[in-house]
Amino acid sequence: MPVPWFLLSLALGRNPVVLSLERVVGPQDTARCSPGLSCHLWDGDVLCLPGSLVSAPGPVLVPTRLQTELVLRCHEETDCDLCVRVAVHLAVQGYWEDPEDEEKFRRAADPELEEPRNASLQAHIVLSFQAYPTAHCVLLEVQVPAALVQPGQSVGSVVFDCFEAALGAEVQIWSYTQPRYQKELNLTQQLPDCRGLEVQDNIQSCWALPWLNVSADGEDVRLVLDVSEEQRFGLSLYWNQVQGPIKPWWHSNLTGPQTITLNHTDLVPCLCIQVWPLEPDSVRTSICPFREDPRAHRNLWRAARLQLLPPLGWRLDAPCSLPAEATLCWQPLDGGPCLSLVPPLPRENVTVNKVLEFPLLKGHPNVCVQVSTWEKLQLQECLWADSLGPRKDDMLLVETRGPQDNGSLCALEPSGCTPLLSRASTRAARLGEQLLQDVQSGQCLQLWDNDLGALWACPMDKYIHQRWALVWLACLLLAAVLFLLLLLKMSRVKAAAGSRAALLLYSADDASFERLVGSLASALCQLPLRVAVDLWSRRDLSAQGALAWFHAQRRQTLQEGGVVVLLFSPGAVALCREWLQDATSAPRAHDPHDAFAASLSCVLPDFLQGRAPGRYVGAYFDKLLPADAVPALFRSVPVFSLPSQLPDFLGTLQGSAAPRPRRLAERAEQVSRALQPALDSCFRPPGAPGTGRGMGPEAGDRT
């Protein structure tokens, strides 16, 4: 069962119930005045145009206060409509500019004259009545005898019967004179509905009126329309704005009973509900139940948008009026809070959906507009966000002018407004004399000016450059020292940095061949070359798998500009032919540690697609494999016989870093001597000493 939150029953003003209403008989509108006044109601409606303010030529009659009262306008005993009676209290405003005019006015009204003239003060009073969706204006002519004309004194009132209005509607009433001598009076009232009045038997529209309850449904809101089945009625949701016309939001014709759920994010304080039976001349009942709802106020601020309009305009867009104030502030370049410019610039009440102007002479990217309530800052937008470029490191100076043209200047800082010629420890105080000279020499931009003061934006760039010149020099010296240290460090690691990477791939035919590969890898490391071979990475090979290890090593080697070396042996040639002869069938299982077998799935596509040159090099040991045994596919890259072609092989591996031929021959001789013991062991008879699986320290796990 939803918790009752707000019923459509509202009474006029603050009273919860109106017990009885006066009856007015007849359809005609009337006007009556206080004793001593005469008044006349003009026939027909008049245009609701207040016009511009004009100066009073002398004493004039103006409205000072509005009062309303509910009455019933009845055509028959049980056929009545709700009507709003309006009383306008009047007073005399202004004085005679010329004493002779006042004397003539008094003399014309003197009863002791033989032929006195009926001198009087006349005024045209307009009453404007608005109740969504209609508006109605009437014109009252009022005359006050000269004897009652006393400037600043009340002269009585005029009563108008009456403005018909819908039950439960919100009405707005304005009163002003034609021509208009002062700001118009206004009054807003929420009228009661059938439940708030004991008139159900007198107003026929109450007999079949749809009853509307508003209740909470968790976070959302439920509208329950308690009407009989098959009764058709209209339901409208609209934004009732004080400033600007009413904006319909949702409308539908429905058949009762109905329950409608509103999302809590759609609630705003001015969201109103209107319901009426779909019958000719039916009464429309309105309610605005969310005015005090905290959620509605939060949603309103979420929906509000503050827009800056070049060159110096701004507008606050919102579905409802906002009880807020707008101020200008100064946003320093180094961040921190935006510094308020009040004073000297005043605060202004916010008018939503209306373009307003900054009270400035020129725009500046550090100027921002803030919209805040008495509780907190709600919105802020800065000029630099649109068209004036980024914020500047300018100092804002506030000039205060006093009598006899003497004034003072202070700089707006987070700690307050610091006088320029003070002993404070702030930046503005240290540069006070220079800033004062900048203002006097015209180097500062004037943002605002009036009789009480002015605002100046003074650039600070040149002072920052002077202050930090020595710091920049020190930084340059430090950078030079660091650069020299870096050069020294680079010279030390130049040899290591210049070494080329090489990845050795081979087929593990037997233990003696693995020892030969280990000897070759160790010898190549002395060139220098950075050699990767699975013999030295057994632990990583077991953890990652042969294929994943090869992928990682191949990618790293090629990214560093290295080369992949294919060492062909009888076992490697057999594996290659197996892949080439039957590429569609699944290859047979191999040793999980055999990187060569795992790598063929990636190596062969490089050769088949022509990507191998420059990235791969082939080699074989001339005593283990004849030259024509290497498959033709792999001869698209250089293939060397070892150790007979060692110089060429080493030169290709080292690339651009290869030494001169003489030095290269010396290194080839060193590698050949290192390989000879391992080569001899490969050709010993089976069972001879040294043919075991041991590979020596070069072939151990170096990870």
Side-chain angles (χ1 to χ4, degrees):
M1 194 63 187
V3 180
W5 176 25
F6 191 93
L7 298 178
L8 189 56
S9 306
L10 290 176
L12 185 63
R14 297 184 179 180
N15 297 326
V17 176
V18 178
L19 297 179
S20 61
L21 298 179
E22 179 184 339
R23 291 170 176 263
V24 176
V25 180
Q28 297 297 323
D29 295 338
T30 61
R32 63 181 186 274
C33 304
S34 301
L37 307 183
S38 62
C39 55
H40 169 68
L41 174 64
W42 285 45
D43 294 334
D45 288 347
V46 297
L47 292 177
C48 303
L49 297 175
S52 303
L53 283 172
V54 297
S55 300
V60 292
L61 202 60
V62 295
T64 58
R65 185 163 57 93
L66 293 176
Q67 279 186 303
T68 58
E69 179 185 0
L70 284 186
V71 296
L72 291 177
R73 170 170 281 172
C74 298
H75 310 284
E76 296 179 3
E77 180 67 23
T78 59
D79 185 11
C80 301
D81 294 312
L82 191 63
C83 214
V84 180
R85 173 182 290 165
V86 182
V88 185
H89 294 265
L90 305 170
V92 178
Q93 174 182 287
Y95 297 87
W96 297 102
E97 295 182 0
D98 191 343
E100 293 183 3
D101 293 337
E102 181 179 5
E103 184 63 26
K104 290 179 182 179
F105 182 79
R106 299 297 181 191
R107 194 181 306 118
D110 190 349
E112 296 182 0
L113 293 177
E114 294 180 1
E115 295 181 0
R117 287 171 287 177
N118 295 327
S120 62
L121 197 61
Q122 179 178 296
H124 291 123
I125 308 297
V126 177
L127 284 177
S128 175
F129 182 86
Q130 182 177 353
Y132 178 76
T134 61
H136 182 204
C137 288
V138 297
L139 180 64
L140 304 172
E141 184 179 301
V142 184
Q143 291 186 349
V144 180
L148 298 179
V149 176
Q150 297 292 332
Q153 298 295 319
S154 175
V155 296
S157 61
V158 58
V159 178
F160 171 75
D161 278 334
C162 56
F163 292 111
E164 293 186 10
L167 291 161
E170 182 180 82
V171 300
Q172 297 175 352
I173 305 170
W174 289 269
S175 178
Y176 50 89
T177 59
Q178 282 188 346
R180 187 160 64 95
Y181 300 118
Q182 66 176 17
K183 185 178 180 181
E184 61 266 24
L185 298 180
N186 66 80
L187 178 68
T188 302
Q189 292 262 296
Q190 180 73 47
L191 302 185
D193 67 348
C194 294
R195 296 185 181 186
L197 301 171
E198 296 184 356
V199 294
Q200 289 89 343
D201 297 334
N202 303 107
I203 300 179
Q204 294 181 3
S205 58
C206 289
W207 301 351
L209 187 70
W211 298 114
L212 172 66
N213 290 337
V214 183
S215 58
D217 184 13
E219 285 291 324
D220 298 327
V221 173
R222 178 179 296 174
L223 309 180
V224 180
L225 292 104
D226 184 13
V227 297
S228 60
E229 294 186 4
E230 305 303 327
Q231 180 183 350
R232 300 181 67 247
F233 60 92
L235 180 68
S236 177
L237 302 178
Y238 62 93
W239 290 333
N240 186 25
Q241 294 184 332
V242 175
Q243 302 153 347
I246 292 172
K247 293 186 177 180
W249 180 51
W250 183 83
H251 169 82
S252 182
N253 294 333
L254 304 170
T255 301
Q258 288 281 347
T259 299
I260 299 172
T261 300
L262 297 179
N263 194 304
H264 69 93
T265 58
D266 295 329
L267 305 183
V268 290
C270 64
L271 180 61
C272 299
I273 309 162
Q274 189 176 80
V275 60
W276 66 96
L278 294 178
E279 299 174 358
D281 301 325
S282 60
V283 174
R284 295 189 176 215
T285 303
S286 298
I287 176 178
C288 303
F290 311 113
R291 290 175 177 169
E292 306 300 328
D293 190 330
R295 296 177 301 177
H297 285 273
R298 289 194 296 268
N299 292 339
L300 177 58
W301 281 111
R302 293 191 186 105
R305 294 292 180 268
L306 184 58
Q307 296 187 18
L308 300 181
L309 308 173
L312 293 173
W314 65 279
R315 182 180 66 215
L316 180 63
D317 295 325
C320 308
S321 300
L322 285 166
E325 291 182 327
T327 59
L328 293 181
C329 63
W330 178 265
Q331 182 65 65
L333 178 65
D334 56 359
C338 198
L339 307 176
S340 176
L341 299 183
V342 180
L345 299 181
R347 296 180 181 270
E348 293 185 4
N349 292 327
V350 173
T351 303
V352 299
N353 306 324
K354 179 181 178 182
V355 177
L356 302 173
E357 295 290 333
F358 291 108
L360 298 176
L361 298 176
K362 295 183 179 179
H364 192 281
N366 292 37
V367 174
C368 306
V369 59
Q370 292 181 332
V371 176
S372 57
T373 61
W374 64 273
E375 295 176 333
K376 64 176 182 177
L377 172 66
Q378 299 287 356
L379 298 171
Q380 176 176 312
E381 286 291 337
C382 300
L383 293 176
W384 62 268
D386 265 351
S387 58
L388 294 181
R391 283 178 290 170
K392 300 179 180 179
D393 189 17
D394 289 1
M395 181 69 69
L396 186 72
L397 304 184
V398 181
E399 180 181 357
T400 304
R401 295 169 182 164
Q404 301 177 354
D405 293 334
N406 58 348
S408 61
L409 277 171
C410 64
L412 195 62
E413 296 183 293
S415 58
C417 205
T418 306
L420 291 187
L421 303 179
S422 69
R423 297 182 178 179
S425 58
T426 64
R427 181 173 68 159
R430 290 192 298 268
L431 300 173
E433 293 184 1
Q434 293 94 320
L435 291 173
L436 188 58
Q437 293 175 1
D438 290 346
V439 173
Q440 295 171 350
S441 61
Q443 298 184 39
C444 298
L445 177 67
Q446 189 176 39
L447 303 181
W448 174 76
D449 183 43
N450 72 357
D451 296 337
L452 300 179
L455 294 177
W456 304 85
C458 298
M460 300 294 290
D461 295 343
K462 59 180 179 180
Y463 301 114
I464 294 176
H465 294 161
Q466 294 173 1
R467 181 180 178 182
W468 291 100
L470 293 178
V471 176
W472 280 113
L473 181 59
C475 291
L476 290 175
L477 291 175
L478 179 60
V481 172
L482 293 177
F483 182 70
L484 291 175
L485 293 176
L486 181 62
L487 289 178
L488 292 175
K489 184 176 180 180
M490 290 177 62
S491 64
R492 294 179 180 177
V493 300
K494 184 176 181 180
S499 60
R500 194 180 186 192
L503 172 62
L504 266 62
L505 294 180
Y506 70 98
S507 174
D509 293 0
D510 52 36
S512 60
F513 186 73
E514 283 188 324
R515 177 180 294 179
L516 178 59
V517 172
S519 298
L520 176 62
S522 298
L524 293 178
C525 288
Q526 307 299 321
L527 290 183
L529 281 172
R530 289 180 288 114
V531 179
V533 64
D534 64 351
L535 286 174
W536 300 342
S537 304
R538 293 296 191 188
R539 188 177 304 166
D540 292 341
L541 206 65
S542 298
Q544 300 176 17
L547 186 60
W549 179 88
F550 165 73
H551 271 296
Q553 295 297 327
R554 173 181 173 274
R555 181 174 60 252
Q556 180 179 350
T557 300
L558 295 181
Q559 285 178 350
E560 295 176 357
V563 64
V564 179
V565 180
L566 301 178
L567 286 178
F568 290 99
S569 65
V573 170
L575 285 173
C576 292
R577 288 174 177 170
E578 178 184 339
W579 277 80
L580 291 173
Q581 290 174 0
D582 192 5
T584 58
S585 62
R588 59 184 176 84
H590 299 285
D591 183 355
H593 291 165
D594 192 345
F596 187 83
S599 67
L600 286 178
S601 61
C602 295
V603 171
L604 289 177
D606 284 347
F607 281 87
L608 291 171
Q609 297 174 15
R611 298 195 302 263
R615 307 166 79 181
Y616 289 85
V617 170
Y620 63 94
F621 293 99
D622 44 19
K623 293 184 179 180
L624 295 180
L625 191 72
D628 57 355
V630 177
L633 176 66
F634 297 99
R635 295 191 176 275
S636 59
V637 300
V639 179
F640 300 97
S641 175
L642 304 181
S644 59
Q645 295 179 333
L646 260 177
D648 295 336
F649 176 65
L650 298 182
T652 301
L653 291 186
Q654 292 185 276
S656 59
R660 294 180 179 180
R662 182 175 179 180
R663 178 61 178 164
L664 191 62
E666 293 176 355
R667 291 184 175 179
E669 183 64 27
Q670 295 174 0
V671 174
S672 178
R673 287 198 299 269
L675 290 178
Q676 195 59 46
L679 282 171
D680 294 341
S681 68
C682 287
F683 300 102
R684 289 175 185 169
T691 59
R693 187 154 180 88
M695 290 177 291
E698 304 90 73
D701 191 349
R702 297 193 180 186
T703 59

